[in-house]
Amino acid sequence: MSKQMSHLDDIPSTPGKFKMEKSPFVHNRLRWHSSLAKLTFWSCIFLGLILIFFFRSPSSNPLPQDPSRRSLRTYNWGGPAWEKRVRSSARVRSHNGISVLVTGAAGFVGTHVSAALKRRGDGVLGLDNFNDYYDPSLKRARQALLERSGVFIVEGDINDSALLRKLFEVVAFTHVMHLAAQAGVRYAMENPGSYVHSNIAGLVSLLEVCKSANPQPAIVWASSSSVYGLNTKVPFSEKDRTDQPASLYAATKKAGEEIAHTYNHIYGLSLTGLRFFTVYGPWGRPDMAYFFFTRDILKGKSIPIFEAANHGTVARDFTYIDDIVKGCLAALDTAEKSTGSGGKKKGPAQLRVYNLGNTSPVPVSDLVSILERLLKVNAKRDIMKLPRNGDVQFTHANISLAQRELGYKPSTDLQTGLKKFVRWYLSYYNGGKKAAG
Ligand SMILES: O=C(O)[C@H]1O[C@H](OP(=O)(O)OP(=O)(O)OC[C@H]2O[C@@H](n3ccc(=O)[nH]c3=O)[C@H](O)[C@@H]2O)[C@H](O)[C@@H](O)[C@@H]1O
């Protein structure tokens, strides 16, 4: 190093100018030294700036800062012990049982559906990416609950095609109950990418693997009442227009219905979409109004209650989880087989869409009154204008199609359902001592 330096020191940097200097050697050495120092100095500054930029740039570390790219997380799966667990969880234990892959199994509806299927002896394997859209510890608690009844939840993302293919290699699922999604109407303005990632790209990734599976499974999946968007004709019937979504969430669910049509048409996949109407109940989602209203009423915090223009009522056709589960199971049981094999269609296949609602919309202010009575605490009501962030003024399901074809008959009113929710909430959060996330 020093040898090389001394050699470099002897060579004038600009030989042409050399002769013009009065004391060429000394002067040039000084010049050389000072320019080397300058070069080193500016290089350090430049390097420093690059490093600062690199570490502060969100793209250098996409995982914690960009939740729409959750699939970039790596999950551990595979190996003989893992395959054994997968097989055992998916094993059918009753005569004429089905074997179901439940995506979003650690979610609210996913947990209840998985438990119900397992109870009647069907084979159930869960899949969930345990993202942090809301408190993941609640998802872990649901997972523990399912584990106790023999349901294994594979940790992974529906965008991971290699994982999905592996699951179909290990188990010949007869059905897929696809509930993994980015839910929530208002969050779509904060993180639009996560909706595209889960509800569109994830759905396509799943259907691609299902279409190539041999045998192809029948698929039942969660659409949403939000697809009715700005439709004003009530009650909402499956025949009504769904081309005016009011949120990106609704648009991705509507896109899902169109994508389902395509895969049914080209590949003969049997597909049933269920339009859920504001599902609530024990083990529910903390991002939903009934859940965080409960938390905030208990904390003495004020709760924002939306109203439409001219003090118009905002109402929802709140549907209790047990009724939804019955609808899901009936959809699975009436699903016909897919007709394709090896990615090729052999004949026309079933394509269905059903409303699963309660058929009795309740104003949000009444929901709050019921919670006040059940919690024995007066809410601090903060009445505010319905924000323009995707909410619609009301939903109301016409369920006659589901009644006729699935035998769907909701039987829990909001008062009864909320009573069960509040009992669960108080015991889960230890009498309100542990705060809900
Ligand atoms: O059924 C559906 O299609 C949808 O139901 C819910 O969406 P949403 O009905 O908006 O449920 P909440 O967020 O719990 O809101 C319930 C009601 O409370 C109102 N609300 C919400 C939040 C708030 O701070 N204040 C308030 O008054 C809403 O406007 C709405 O009328 C779910 O979050 C969606 O994932 C689902 O697809």
PDB file of all heavy atoms in Angstrom, residues 183-186 223-226 249 276-279 285 287-290 292-293 304-306 314-316 318 364 386 391-393, ligand 1:
ATOM      1  N   ALA A 183     -59.865  -6.868   4.346  1.00  0.00           N
ATOM      2  CA  ALA A 183     -61.225  -6.406   4.632  1.00  0.00           C
ATOM      3  C   ALA A 183     -61.206  -4.943   5.062  1.00  0.00           C
ATOM      4  O   ALA A 183     -60.151  -4.330   5.186  1.00  0.00           O
ATOM      5  CB  ALA A 183     -61.831  -7.283   5.725  1.00  0.00           C
ATOM      6  N   GLY A 184     -62.396  -4.419   5.316  1.00  0.00           N
ATOM      7  CA  GLY A 184     -62.505  -3.040   5.806  1.00  0.00           C
ATOM      8  C   GLY A 184     -62.733  -2.076   4.665  1.00  0.00           C
ATOM      9  O   GLY A 184     -62.003  -2.104   3.666  1.00  0.00           O
ATOM     10  N   VAL A 185     -63.734  -1.239   4.817  1.00  0.00           N
ATOM     11  CA  VAL A 185     -64.102  -0.311   3.745  1.00  0.00           C
ATOM     12  C   VAL A 185     -63.213   0.940   3.771  1.00  0.00           C
ATOM     13  O   VAL A 185     -62.661   1.363   2.757  1.00  0.00           O
ATOM     14  CB  VAL A 185     -65.591   0.079   3.902  1.00  0.00           C
ATOM     15  CG1 VAL A 185     -65.982   1.109   2.863  1.00  0.00           C
ATOM     16  CG2 VAL A 185     -66.483  -1.154   3.813  1.00  0.00           C
ATOM     17  N   ARG A 186     -63.050   1.513   4.964  1.00  0.00           N
ATOM     18  CA  ARG A 186     -62.370   2.812   5.070  1.00  0.00           C
ATOM     19  C   ARG A 186     -60.850   2.734   4.915  1.00  0.00           C
ATOM     20  O   ARG A 186     -60.208   3.657   4.432  1.00  0.00           O
ATOM     21  CB  ARG A 186     -62.752   3.489   6.398  1.00  0.00           C
ATOM     22  CG  ARG A 186     -64.193   3.946   6.422  1.00  0.00           C
ATOM     23  CD  ARG A 186     -64.663   4.307   7.818  1.00  0.00           C
ATOM     24  NE  ARG A 186     -64.737   3.164   8.708  1.00  0.00           N
ATOM     25  CZ  ARG A 186     -65.768   2.318   8.759  1.00  0.00           C
ATOM     26  NH1 ARG A 186     -66.812   2.501   7.995  1.00  0.00           N
ATOM     27  NH2 ARG A 186     -65.754   1.300   9.592  1.00  0.00           N
ATOM     28  N   SER A 223     -67.427 -12.691  -1.045  1.00  0.00           N
ATOM     29  CA  SER A 223     -67.573 -11.386  -1.670  1.00  0.00           C
ATOM     30  C   SER A 223     -68.122 -10.470  -0.569  1.00  0.00           C
ATOM     31  O   SER A 223     -67.899 -10.733   0.610  1.00  0.00           O
ATOM     32  CB  SER A 223     -68.496 -11.473  -2.882  1.00  0.00           C
ATOM     33  OG  SER A 223     -68.576 -10.202  -3.505  1.00  0.00           O
ATOM     34  N   SER A 224     -68.862  -9.442  -0.926  1.00  0.00           N
ATOM     35  CA  SER A 224     -69.263  -8.481   0.097  1.00  0.00           C
ATOM     36  C   SER A 224     -70.519  -7.719  -0.312  1.00  0.00           C
ATOM     37  O   SER A 224     -70.737  -7.469  -1.506  1.00  0.00           O
ATOM     38  CB  SER A 224     -68.104  -7.495   0.299  1.00  0.00           C
ATOM     39  OG  SER A 224     -68.550  -6.305   0.894  1.00  0.00           O
ATOM     40  N   SER A 225     -71.289  -7.331   0.677  1.00  0.00           N
ATOM     41  CA  SER A 225     -72.486  -6.512   0.403  1.00  0.00           C
ATOM     42  C   SER A 225     -72.076  -5.166  -0.197  1.00  0.00           C
ATOM     43  O   SER A 225     -72.892  -4.484  -0.822  1.00  0.00           O
ATOM     44  CB  SER A 225     -73.259  -6.264   1.690  1.00  0.00           C
ATOM     45  OG  SER A 225     -72.563  -5.365   2.519  1.00  0.00           O
ATOM     46  N   SER A 226     -70.811  -4.791   0.000  1.00  0.00           N
ATOM     47  CA  SER A 226     -70.371  -3.484  -0.483  1.00  0.00           C
ATOM     48  C   SER A 226     -70.383  -3.402  -2.011  1.00  0.00           C
ATOM     49  O   SER A 226     -70.311  -2.306  -2.560  1.00  0.00           O
ATOM     50  CB  SER A 226     -68.980  -3.158   0.057  1.00  0.00           C
ATOM     51  OG  SER A 226     -68.049  -4.082  -0.441  1.00  0.00           O
ATOM     52  N   TYR A 249     -62.222  -1.073  -1.802  1.00  0.00           N
ATOM     53  CA  TYR A 249     -62.511  -2.403  -1.245  1.00  0.00           C
ATOM     54  C   TYR A 249     -63.629  -3.064  -2.051  1.00  0.00           C
ATOM     55  O   TYR A 249     -63.501  -4.202  -2.527  1.00  0.00           O
ATOM     56  CB  TYR A 249     -62.908  -2.279   0.226  1.00  0.00           C
ATOM     57  CG  TYR A 249     -63.508  -3.549   0.784  1.00  0.00           C
ATOM     58  CD1 TYR A 249     -62.736  -4.694   0.946  1.00  0.00           C
ATOM     59  CD2 TYR A 249     -64.862  -3.612   1.136  1.00  0.00           C
ATOM     60  CE1 TYR A 249     -63.287  -5.859   1.438  1.00  0.00           C
ATOM     61  CE2 TYR A 249     -65.415  -4.772   1.633  1.00  0.00           C
ATOM     62  CZ  TYR A 249     -64.627  -5.901   1.782  1.00  0.00           C
ATOM     63  OH  TYR A 249     -65.185  -7.048   2.264  1.00  0.00           O
ATOM     64  N   PHE A 276     -71.407 -11.215   2.003  1.00  0.00           N
ATOM     65  CA  PHE A 276     -71.663 -11.083   3.447  1.00  0.00           C
ATOM     66  C   PHE A 276     -72.135  -9.664   3.764  1.00  0.00           C
ATOM     67  O   PHE A 276     -71.589  -8.685   3.243  1.00  0.00           O
ATOM     68  CB  PHE A 276     -70.379 -11.319   4.242  1.00  0.00           C
ATOM     69  CG  PHE A 276     -69.818 -12.721   4.150  1.00  0.00           C
ATOM     70  CD1 PHE A 276     -68.467 -12.949   4.422  1.00  0.00           C
ATOM     71  CD2 PHE A 276     -70.610 -13.810   3.820  1.00  0.00           C
ATOM     72  CE1 PHE A 276     -67.931 -14.231   4.358  1.00  0.00           C
ATOM     73  CE2 PHE A 276     -70.082 -15.096   3.752  1.00  0.00           C
ATOM     74  CZ  PHE A 276     -68.732 -15.297   4.016  1.00  0.00           C
ATOM     75  N   PHE A 277     -73.084  -9.572   4.692  1.00  0.00           N
ATOM     76  CA  PHE A 277     -73.585  -8.260   5.144  1.00  0.00           C
ATOM     77  C   PHE A 277     -73.126  -8.004   6.588  1.00  0.00           C
ATOM     78  O   PHE A 277     -73.663  -8.589   7.526  1.00  0.00           O
ATOM     79  CB  PHE A 277     -75.125  -8.207   5.057  1.00  0.00           C
ATOM     80  CG  PHE A 277     -75.634  -7.980   3.662  1.00  0.00           C
ATOM     81  CD1 PHE A 277     -75.505  -8.962   2.685  1.00  0.00           C
ATOM     82  CD2 PHE A 277     -76.243  -6.778   3.323  1.00  0.00           C
ATOM     83  CE1 PHE A 277     -75.969  -8.754   1.389  1.00  0.00           C
ATOM     84  CE2 PHE A 277     -76.716  -6.556   2.026  1.00  0.00           C
ATOM     85  CZ  PHE A 277     -76.575  -7.545   1.056  1.00  0.00           C
ATOM     86  N   THR A 278     -72.143  -7.161   6.775  1.00  0.00           N
ATOM     87  CA  THR A 278     -71.632  -6.693   8.083  1.00  0.00           C
ATOM     88  C   THR A 278     -71.744  -7.776   9.174  1.00  0.00           C
ATOM     89  O   THR A 278     -72.578  -7.702  10.077  1.00  0.00           O
ATOM     90  CB  THR A 278     -72.327  -5.379   8.506  1.00  0.00           C
ATOM     91  OG1 THR A 278     -72.384  -4.511   7.363  1.00  0.00           O
ATOM     92  CG2 THR A 278     -71.549  -4.664   9.609  1.00  0.00           C
ATOM     93  N   VAL A 279     -70.841  -8.733   9.082  1.00  0.00           N
ATOM     94  CA  VAL A 279     -70.848  -9.884   9.997  1.00  0.00           C
ATOM     95  C   VAL A 279     -70.258  -9.487  11.350  1.00  0.00           C
ATOM     96  O   VAL A 279     -69.216  -8.822  11.406  1.00  0.00           O
ATOM     97  CB  VAL A 279     -70.028 -11.041   9.388  1.00  0.00           C
ATOM     98  CG1 VAL A 279     -70.228 -12.311  10.206  1.00  0.00           C
ATOM     99  CG2 VAL A 279     -70.395 -11.271   7.936  1.00  0.00           C
ATOM    100  N   ARG A 285     -63.793  -8.826  14.433  1.00  0.00           N
ATOM    101  CA  ARG A 285     -62.682  -7.988  13.968  1.00  0.00           C
ATOM    102  C   ARG A 285     -62.676  -6.652  14.691  1.00  0.00           C
ATOM    103  O   ARG A 285     -63.655  -5.912  14.634  1.00  0.00           O
ATOM    104  CB  ARG A 285     -62.828  -7.740  12.461  1.00  0.00           C
ATOM    105  CG  ARG A 285     -62.267  -8.835  11.595  1.00  0.00           C
ATOM    106  CD  ARG A 285     -62.586  -8.641  10.132  1.00  0.00           C
ATOM    107  NE  ARG A 285     -62.695  -7.239   9.747  1.00  0.00           N
ATOM    108  CZ  ARG A 285     -63.484  -6.792   8.764  1.00  0.00           C
ATOM    109  NH1 ARG A 285     -64.244  -7.630   8.081  1.00  0.00           N
ATOM    110  NH2 ARG A 285     -63.525  -5.520   8.461  1.00  0.00           N
ATOM    111  N   ASP A 287     -61.459  -3.904  13.927  1.00  0.00           N
ATOM    112  CA  ASP A 287     -61.580  -2.703  13.084  1.00  0.00           C
ATOM    113  C   ASP A 287     -63.041  -2.384  12.791  1.00  0.00           C
ATOM    114  O   ASP A 287     -63.337  -1.351  12.194  1.00  0.00           O
ATOM    115  CB  ASP A 287     -60.829  -2.902  11.762  1.00  0.00           C
ATOM    116  CG  ASP A 287     -61.433  -4.025  10.927  1.00  0.00           C
ATOM    117  OD1 ASP A 287     -61.721  -5.096  11.499  1.00  0.00           O
ATOM    118  OD2 ASP A 287     -61.654  -3.825   9.713  1.00  0.00           O
ATOM    119  N   MET A 288     -63.959  -3.260  13.201  1.00  0.00           N
ATOM    120  CA  MET A 288     -65.371  -3.006  12.880  1.00  0.00           C
ATOM    121  C   MET A 288     -66.046  -2.194  13.985  1.00  0.00           C
ATOM    122  O   MET A 288     -65.676  -2.271  15.160  1.00  0.00           O
ATOM    123  CB  MET A 288     -66.098  -4.317  12.626  1.00  0.00           C
ATOM    124  CG  MET A 288     -65.667  -4.911  11.280  1.00  0.00           C
ATOM    125  SD  MET A 288     -66.555  -6.385  10.802  1.00  0.00           S
ATOM    126  CE  MET A 288     -68.206  -5.763  10.529  1.00  0.00           C
ATOM    127  N   ALA A 289     -67.067  -1.426  13.585  1.00  0.00           N
ATOM    128  CA  ALA A 289     -67.654  -0.427  14.485  1.00  0.00           C
ATOM    129  C   ALA A 289     -68.157  -1.039  15.799  1.00  0.00           C
ATOM    130  O   ALA A 289     -67.849  -0.537  16.885  1.00  0.00           O
ATOM    131  CB  ALA A 289     -68.763   0.311  13.767  1.00  0.00           C
ATOM    132  N   TYR A 290     -68.946  -2.134  15.730  1.00  0.00           N
ATOM    133  CA  TYR A 290     -69.526  -2.694  16.962  1.00  0.00           C
ATOM    134  C   TYR A 290     -68.441  -3.083  17.955  1.00  0.00           C
ATOM    135  O   TYR A 290     -68.626  -2.998  19.164  1.00  0.00           O
ATOM    136  CB  TYR A 290     -70.407  -3.922  16.629  1.00  0.00           C
ATOM    137  CG  TYR A 290     -69.610  -5.158  16.265  1.00  0.00           C
ATOM    138  CD1 TYR A 290     -69.299  -6.109  17.229  1.00  0.00           C
ATOM    139  CD2 TYR A 290     -69.125  -5.358  14.973  1.00  0.00           C
ATOM    140  CE1 TYR A 290     -68.533  -7.240  16.902  1.00  0.00           C
ATOM    141  CE2 TYR A 290     -68.377  -6.466  14.648  1.00  0.00           C
ATOM    142  CZ  TYR A 290     -68.083  -7.409  15.616  1.00  0.00           C
ATOM    143  OH  TYR A 290     -67.319  -8.496  15.303  1.00  0.00           O
ATOM    144  N   PHE A 292     -65.073  -1.769  18.113  1.00  0.00           N
ATOM    145  CA  PHE A 292     -64.331  -0.661  18.759  1.00  0.00           C
ATOM    146  C   PHE A 292     -65.265   0.287  19.495  1.00  0.00           C
ATOM    147  O   PHE A 292     -64.832   0.988  20.416  1.00  0.00           O
ATOM    148  CB  PHE A 292     -63.330   0.029  17.818  1.00  0.00           C
ATOM    149  CG  PHE A 292     -63.911   0.809  16.666  1.00  0.00           C
ATOM    150  CD1 PHE A 292     -64.457   2.065  16.849  1.00  0.00           C
ATOM    151  CD2 PHE A 292     -63.867   0.292  15.375  1.00  0.00           C
ATOM    152  CE1 PHE A 292     -64.961   2.789  15.769  1.00  0.00           C
ATOM    153  CE2 PHE A 292     -64.372   0.997  14.298  1.00  0.00           C
ATOM    154  CZ  PHE A 292     -64.932   2.260  14.494  1.00  0.00           C
ATOM    155  N   PHE A 293     -66.554   0.282  19.159  1.00  0.00           N
ATOM    156  CA  PHE A 293     -67.513   1.052  19.973  1.00  0.00           C
ATOM    157  C   PHE A 293     -67.528   0.453  21.393  1.00  0.00           C
ATOM    158  O   PHE A 293     -67.484   1.167  22.387  1.00  0.00           O
ATOM    159  CB  PHE A 293     -68.928   0.975  19.391  1.00  0.00           C
ATOM    160  CG  PHE A 293     -69.174   1.868  18.194  1.00  0.00           C
ATOM    161  CD1 PHE A 293     -70.412   1.848  17.538  1.00  0.00           C
ATOM    162  CD2 PHE A 293     -68.199   2.741  17.717  1.00  0.00           C
ATOM    163  CE1 PHE A 293     -70.654   2.670  16.437  1.00  0.00           C
ATOM    164  CE2 PHE A 293     -68.441   3.558  16.617  1.00  0.00           C
ATOM    165  CZ  PHE A 293     -69.668   3.510  15.976  1.00  0.00           C
ATOM    166  N   PRO A 304     -67.469   8.009  17.328  1.00  0.00           N
ATOM    167  CA  PRO A 304     -68.012   8.746  16.175  1.00  0.00           C
ATOM    168  C   PRO A 304     -69.176   7.971  15.553  1.00  0.00           C
ATOM    169  O   PRO A 304     -69.009   6.830  15.123  1.00  0.00           O
ATOM    170  CB  PRO A 304     -66.837   8.810  15.207  1.00  0.00           C
ATOM    171  CG  PRO A 304     -65.881   7.753  15.630  1.00  0.00           C
ATOM    172  CD  PRO A 304     -66.241   7.268  16.986  1.00  0.00           C
ATOM    173  N   ILE A 305     -70.348   8.573  15.547  1.00  0.00           N
ATOM    174  CA  ILE A 305     -71.508   7.912  14.924  1.00  0.00           C
ATOM    175  C   ILE A 305     -71.870   8.699  13.667  1.00  0.00           C
ATOM    176  O   ILE A 305     -72.178   9.896  13.749  1.00  0.00           O
ATOM    177  CB  ILE A 305     -72.702   7.865  15.901  1.00  0.00           C
ATOM    178  CG1 ILE A 305     -72.287   7.103  17.168  1.00  0.00           C
ATOM    179  CG2 ILE A 305     -73.913   7.228  15.243  1.00  0.00           C
ATOM    180  CD1 ILE A 305     -73.308   7.149  18.280  1.00  0.00           C
ATOM    181  N   PHE A 306     -71.825   8.005  12.539  1.00  0.00           N
ATOM    182  CA  PHE A 306     -72.059   8.699  11.275  1.00  0.00           C
ATOM    183  C   PHE A 306     -73.548   8.885  11.002  1.00  0.00           C
ATOM    184  O   PHE A 306     -74.363   8.024  11.321  1.00  0.00           O
ATOM    185  CB  PHE A 306     -71.444   7.905  10.110  1.00  0.00           C
ATOM    186  CG  PHE A 306     -69.964   7.673  10.236  1.00  0.00           C
ATOM    187  CD1 PHE A 306     -69.360   6.557   9.647  1.00  0.00           C
ATOM    188  CD2 PHE A 306     -69.152   8.568  10.931  1.00  0.00           C
ATOM    189  CE1 PHE A 306     -67.991   6.342   9.755  1.00  0.00           C
ATOM    190  CE2 PHE A 306     -67.777   8.366  11.041  1.00  0.00           C
ATOM    191  CZ  PHE A 306     -67.211   7.245  10.466  1.00  0.00           C
ATOM    192  N   VAL A 314     -78.000   6.244   9.086  1.00  0.00           N
ATOM    193  CA  VAL A 314     -77.062   5.294   8.486  1.00  0.00           C
ATOM    194  C   VAL A 314     -77.377   3.939   9.116  1.00  0.00           C
ATOM    195  O   VAL A 314     -77.440   3.830  10.340  1.00  0.00           O
ATOM    196  CB  VAL A 314     -75.603   5.709   8.764  1.00  0.00           C
ATOM    197  CG1 VAL A 314     -74.633   4.622   8.303  1.00  0.00           C
ATOM    198  CG2 VAL A 314     -75.283   7.032   8.062  1.00  0.00           C
ATOM    199  N   ALA A 315     -77.613   2.930   8.294  1.00  0.00           N
ATOM    200  CA  ALA A 315     -78.039   1.634   8.834  1.00  0.00           C
ATOM    201  C   ALA A 315     -77.313   0.480   8.149  1.00  0.00           C
ATOM    202  O   ALA A 315     -76.862   0.608   7.009  1.00  0.00           O
ATOM    203  CB  ALA A 315     -79.543   1.477   8.651  1.00  0.00           C
ATOM    204  N   ARG A 316     -77.217  -0.641   8.881  1.00  0.00           N
ATOM    205  CA  ARG A 316     -76.580  -1.841   8.331  1.00  0.00           C
ATOM    206  C   ARG A 316     -77.439  -3.058   8.614  1.00  0.00           C
ATOM    207  O   ARG A 316     -78.080  -3.161   9.657  1.00  0.00           O
ATOM    208  CB  ARG A 316     -75.197  -2.080   8.971  1.00  0.00           C
ATOM    209  CG  ARG A 316     -74.101  -1.140   8.494  1.00  0.00           C
ATOM    210  CD  ARG A 316     -73.710  -1.444   7.056  1.00  0.00           C
ATOM    211  NE  ARG A 316     -72.698  -0.513   6.552  1.00  0.00           N
ATOM    212  CZ  ARG A 316     -72.962   0.687   6.037  1.00  0.00           C
ATOM    213  NH1 ARG A 316     -74.215   1.134   5.967  1.00  0.00           N
ATOM    214  NH2 ARG A 316     -72.001   1.453   5.585  1.00  0.00           N
ATOM    215  N   PHE A 318     -76.851  -5.909   9.874  1.00  0.00           N
ATOM    216  CA  PHE A 318     -75.885  -6.673  10.676  1.00  0.00           C
ATOM    217  C   PHE A 318     -76.277  -8.150  10.714  1.00  0.00           C
ATOM    218  O   PHE A 318     -77.418  -8.486  11.027  1.00  0.00           O
ATOM    219  CB  PHE A 318     -75.849  -6.129  12.106  1.00  0.00           C
ATOM    220  CG  PHE A 318     -75.355  -4.716  12.198  1.00  0.00           C
ATOM    221  CD1 PHE A 318     -76.242  -3.652  12.336  1.00  0.00           C
ATOM    222  CD2 PHE A 318     -73.990  -4.433  12.159  1.00  0.00           C
ATOM    223  CE1 PHE A 318     -75.784  -2.336  12.424  1.00  0.00           C
ATOM    224  CE2 PHE A 318     -73.525  -3.119  12.245  1.00  0.00           C
ATOM    225  CZ  PHE A 318     -74.422  -2.075  12.380  1.00  0.00           C
ATOM    226  N   VAL A 364     -77.227   2.684  13.006  1.00  0.00           N
ATOM    227  CA  VAL A 364     -76.016   2.588  13.827  1.00  0.00           C
ATOM    228  C   VAL A 364     -76.285   3.151  15.233  1.00  0.00           C
ATOM    229  O   VAL A 364     -75.768   2.633  16.229  1.00  0.00           O
ATOM    230  CB  VAL A 364     -74.838   3.323  13.147  1.00  0.00           C
ATOM    231  CG1 VAL A 364     -73.596   3.297  14.015  1.00  0.00           C
ATOM    232  CG2 VAL A 364     -74.532   2.671  11.806  1.00  0.00           C
ATOM    233  N   LEU A 386     -71.371  11.483   7.656  1.00  0.00           N
ATOM    234  CA  LEU A 386     -70.790  10.299   7.020  1.00  0.00           C
ATOM    235  C   LEU A 386     -69.623  10.734   6.132  1.00  0.00           C
ATOM    236  O   LEU A 386     -69.820  11.492   5.185  1.00  0.00           O
ATOM    237  CB  LEU A 386     -71.876   9.627   6.160  1.00  0.00           C
ATOM    238  CG  LEU A 386     -71.574   8.263   5.545  1.00  0.00           C
ATOM    239  CD1 LEU A 386     -71.442   7.185   6.600  1.00  0.00           C
ATOM    240  CD2 LEU A 386     -72.669   7.883   4.551  1.00  0.00           C
ATOM    241  N   ASP A 391     -67.946   4.605   2.738  1.00  0.00           N
ATOM    242  CA  ASP A 391     -69.159   4.124   3.404  1.00  0.00           C
ATOM    243  C   ASP A 391     -70.393   4.421   2.564  1.00  0.00           C
ATOM    244  O   ASP A 391     -70.494   5.481   1.953  1.00  0.00           O
ATOM    245  CB  ASP A 391     -69.333   4.843   4.745  1.00  0.00           C
ATOM    246  CG  ASP A 391     -68.763   4.032   5.883  1.00  0.00           C
ATOM    247  OD1 ASP A 391     -68.979   2.814   5.894  1.00  0.00           O
ATOM    248  OD2 ASP A 391     -68.111   4.630   6.760  1.00  0.00           O
ATOM    249  N   VAL A 392     -71.361   3.504   2.588  1.00  0.00           N
ATOM    250  CA  VAL A 392     -72.650   3.790   1.961  1.00  0.00           C
ATOM    251  C   VAL A 392     -73.658   4.019   3.087  1.00  0.00           C
ATOM    252  O   VAL A 392     -73.407   3.662   4.231  1.00  0.00           O
ATOM    253  CB  VAL A 392     -73.106   2.642   1.025  1.00  0.00           C
ATOM    254  CG1 VAL A 392     -72.195   2.553  -0.182  1.00  0.00           C
ATOM    255  CG2 VAL A 392     -73.180   1.307   1.748  1.00  0.00           C
ATOM    256  N   GLN A 393     -74.812   4.614   2.747  1.00  0.00           N
ATOM    257  CA  GLN A 393     -75.741   4.996   3.815  1.00  0.00           C
ATOM    258  C   GLN A 393     -76.439   3.790   4.453  1.00  0.00           C
ATOM    259  O   GLN A 393     -76.664   3.760   5.656  1.00  0.00           O
ATOM    260  CB  GLN A 393     -76.777   5.986   3.272  1.00  0.00           C
ATOM    261  CG  GLN A 393     -77.559   6.659   4.388  1.00  0.00           C
ATOM    262  CD  GLN A 393     -78.567   7.659   3.856  1.00  0.00           C
ATOM    263  OE1 GLN A 393     -78.454   8.147   2.729  1.00  0.00           O
ATOM    264  NE2 GLN A 393     -79.561   7.986   4.672  1.00  0.00           N
TER     265      GLN A 393
HETATM  266  O1  LIG B   1     -70.837  -6.287   4.765  1.00  0.00           O
HETATM  267  C1  LIG B   1     -69.916  -5.804   4.167  1.00  0.00           C
HETATM  268  O2  LIG B   1     -69.915  -5.786   2.972  1.00  0.00           O
HETATM  269  C2  LIG B   1     -68.784  -5.183   4.907  1.00  0.00           C
HETATM  270  O3  LIG B   1     -69.135  -5.038   6.289  1.00  0.00           O
HETATM  271  C3  LIG B   1     -68.212  -4.335   7.054  1.00  0.00           C
HETATM  272  O4  LIG B   1     -68.192  -3.001   6.620  1.00  0.00           O
HETATM  273  P1  LIG B   1     -69.186  -1.968   7.320  1.00  0.00           P
HETATM  274  O5  LIG B   1     -70.597  -2.342   7.075  1.00  0.00           O
HETATM  275  O6  LIG B   1     -68.747  -0.619   6.904  1.00  0.00           O
HETATM  276  O7  LIG B   1     -68.916  -2.248   8.871  1.00  0.00           O
HETATM  277  P2  LIG B   1     -68.355  -1.299  10.024  1.00  0.00           P
HETATM  278  O8  LIG B   1     -67.069  -0.730   9.668  1.00  0.00           O
HETATM  279  O9  LIG B   1     -68.407  -2.087  11.275  1.00  0.00           O
HETATM  280  O10 LIG B   1     -69.430  -0.123  10.100  1.00  0.00           O
HETATM  281  C4  LIG B   1     -70.744  -0.390  10.545  1.00  0.00           C
HETATM  282  C5  LIG B   1     -71.538   0.878  10.511  1.00  0.00           C
HETATM  283  O11 LIG B   1     -71.013   1.789  11.465  1.00  0.00           O
HETATM  284  C6  LIG B   1     -70.762   3.042  10.854  1.00  0.00           C
HETATM  285  N1  LIG B   1     -69.584   3.646  11.521  1.00  0.00           N
HETATM  286  C7  LIG B   1     -68.365   3.117  11.336  1.00  0.00           C
HETATM  287  C8  LIG B   1     -67.283   3.654  11.961  1.00  0.00           C
HETATM  288  C9  LIG B   1     -67.427   4.764  12.776  1.00  0.00           C
HETATM  289  O12 LIG B   1     -66.452   5.315  13.348  1.00  0.00           O
HETATM  290  N2  LIG B   1     -68.671   5.271  12.949  1.00  0.00           N
HETATM  291  C10 LIG B   1     -69.779   4.738  12.343  1.00  0.00           C
HETATM  292  O13 LIG B   1     -70.892   5.245  12.521  1.00  0.00           O
HETATM  293  C11 LIG B   1     -70.561   2.748   9.383  1.00  0.00           C
HETATM  294  O14 LIG B   1     -70.900   3.870   8.601  1.00  0.00           O
HETATM  295  C12 LIG B   1     -71.503   1.596   9.177  1.00  0.00           C
HETATM  296  O15 LIG B   1     -72.779   2.071   8.875  1.00  0.00           O
HETATM  297  C13 LIG B   1     -66.817  -4.954   6.950  1.00  0.00           C
HETATM  298  O16 LIG B   1     -65.842  -4.141   7.558  1.00  0.00           O
HETATM  299  C14 LIG B   1     -66.417  -5.240   5.528  1.00  0.00           C
HETATM  300  O17 LIG B   1     -65.218  -5.953   5.523  1.00  0.00           O
HETATM  301  C15 LIG B   1     -67.539  -6.010   4.862  1.00  0.00           C
HETATM  302  O18 LIG B   1     -67.267  -6.406   3.589  1.00  0.00           O
END
